[in-house]
Amino acid sequence: MFSPKLFCMSGSSFLFLKSIKCILSSSCHGQNTISNTLAAQYISKPQKQLCETVLKYFDRQYSEELGEQWWNARDVLLNPLSWQYGVLLNRFSDLTNLKQCLAELGYTNLLQQTHPESHSQTADIPLQCFIHPDPVRIPTQSHHTGWLKQYYLLNAASLLPVLALNVQEGENVLDLCAAPGGKSLAILQTATPGLLHCNEVDQHRHDWLLKTLESYVPPSLRHLLSVTLQDGRSIGTMQPGAYDKVLVDAPCSNDRSWLYTPDTHRGEMWLKERTQLPLLQKELLCSALAAVRPGGIVVYSTCTMSRAENQSVVEEVLASYPGVELQELEQQFIDSLSDHFCFAHLHPSVGQLVIPQKGKTWGPMYVSQLKKIY
């Protein structure tokens, strides 16, 4: 989770101060609304401690795999104060004046032209994520029992797997590696599933997931949720063909986090463990394919640029798991996001990879869509 601070570059500080009057004049819901939240004191985020061991490793690997694209991404990753943050709105909370206030702050809706067919005639509001051209970050909201938070801060590229999943009303959905819960929350913003099974194997992250869902999902909808503490590799065997859609947001060598490993020894340990991740990822993806029904969709995603954890995992599963086809994400869908996301040039093209670039600091985020034929 993010700390409850707003940090801006110099130009954005002026923007915030100019617009705060709008926020403060909006209608309130006690001390928990954005009005009071944005009035809180904000400071610049302290500089993170870079792990040189991890950086050298990434330089060797990614310069070979991504070429010039790596050096542009590297500049962004080494400057955390340049990172942008998306604001995912919670349709279950009171959003009175929130969108207007975000607009006053210079935010726009990332998904305005994405999947227009999802705009139904029901009371459901489509997934809404607001982004800013500058590295402006509004504060997180504190958890209060009985009150639903209005928004969730995230890397906007992390919505790409949810959009690729394209959940429809009443579908049974499995989020195989769900913590901390941002993608589960985003799924609930797109449609009301028949069941959303959120699974997490780690106890601490499982508890984190529970708190996230409690903070955003109303009690009237919690009967649609199943939150489990299981090894995701076994769910496909235990529940074969039980789901219409499965998301595998796999454990990975998170590039943003690993660059700022607290100490060199831990960085070296993580790099050794990194070689074991593709096997785990393949096992999770195979479990997801077993858990989805014939004709169903599995989306595999990571937040790393590593070919071994992205394209190679999908290629090996396609070669070894019968009855599965790679689905190309629609070009129109990609084009609708290209103004905001920088998509890497993958050869061969097995999925899509968003890499951070100056002014488009979203990512890394890899996503691949598979269909189970039989």
Side-chain angles (χ1 to χ4, degrees), residues 58 60-67 70 255 274 304 306:
F58 282 3
R60 288 194 301 271
Q61 177 183 355
Y62 292 146
S63 61
E64 179 179 343
E65 294 181 2
L66 296 170
W70 160 242
D255 294 339
R274 194 183 201 212
T304 178
S306 171

Side-chain angles (χ1 to χ4, degrees), residues 26-45:
S26 64
S27 63
C28 295
H29 182 92
Q31 62 180 358
N32 300 316
T33 61
I34 189 173
S35 305
N36 292 308
T37 306
L38 279 177
Q41 183 181 16
Y42 65 99
I43 62 173
S44 294
K45 189 175 182 180

Side-chain angles (χ1 to χ4, degrees), residues 153-175:
L153 298 186
L154 77 177
N155 183 325
S158 65
L159 294 178
L160 192 58
V162 176
L163 294 170
L165 203 62
N166 195 21
V167 173
Q168 303 298 306
E169 295 287 323
E171 289 185 324
N172 293 334
V173 183
L174 168 61
D175 189 351

Side-chain angles (χ1 to χ4, degrees), residues 71-83 256 260 356-363:
W71 300 107
N72 294 329
R74 183 185 193 270
D75 289 342
V76 172
L77 294 175
L78 295 183
N79 183 13
L81 292 180
S82 74
W83 298 354
R256 287 192 185 225
Y260 298 96
Q357 302 284 280
K358 184 177 180 181
K360 299 180 180 181
T361 65
W362 313 109

Side-chain angles (χ1 to χ4, degrees), residues 251-286:
C252 68
S253 52
N254 184 320
D255 294 339
R256 287 192 185 225
S257 295
W258 282 32
L259 270 176
Y260 298 96
T261 305
D263 58 75
T264 300
H265 175 72
R266 185 177 298 183
E268 293 173 347
M269 180 183 67
W270 282 2
L271 290 174
K272 290 179 181 177
E273 293 175 352
R274 194 183 201 212
T275 60
Q276 303 171 25
L277 283 171
L279 176 59
L280 170 62
Q281 292 156 344
K282 283 182 281 188
E283 291 174 339
L284 288 167
L285 182 51
C286 287

Side-chain angles (χ1 to χ4, degrees), residues 62-185:
Y62 292 146
S63 61
E64 179 179 343
E65 294 181 2
L66 296 170
E68 189 62 31
Q69 294 177 102
W70 160 242
W71 300 107
N72 294 329
R74 183 185 193 270
D75 289 342
V76 172
L77 294 175
L78 295 183
N79 183 13
L81 292 180
S82 74
W83 298 354
Q84 294 161 282
Y85 293 86
V87 183
L88 176 65
L89 302 193
N90 181 19
R91 67 186 175 107
F92 306 119
S93 184
D94 179 8
L95 301 179
T96 304
N97 293 331
L98 178 56
K99 286 188 284 186
Q100 176 186 345
C101 292
L102 289 172
E104 290 286 338
L105 286 166
Y107 284 84
T108 57
N109 191 349
L110 168 70
L111 306 172
Q112 199 163 18
Q113 301 301 321
T114 304
H115 287 325
E117 68 273 14
S118 67
H119 291 245
S120 66
Q121 298 302 312
T122 69
D124 288 345
I125 303 172
L127 180 69
Q128 297 180 84
C129 180
F130 284 77
I131 60 173
H132 198 283
D134 298 321
V136 177
R137 175 177 170 178
I138 65 175
T140 57
Q141 294 175 314
S142 300
H143 173 79
H144 295 277
T145 302
W147 180 79
L148 298 179
K149 295 183 182 181
Q150 297 164 300
Y151 58 85
Y152 184 92
L153 298 186
L154 77 177
N155 183 325
S158 65
L159 294 178
L160 192 58
V162 176
L163 294 170
L165 203 62
N166 195 21
V167 173
Q168 303 298 306
E169 295 287 323
E171 289 185 324
N172 293 334
V173 183
L174 168 61
D175 189 351
L176 195 64
C177 311
K183 292 180 180 65
S184 294
L185 175 61

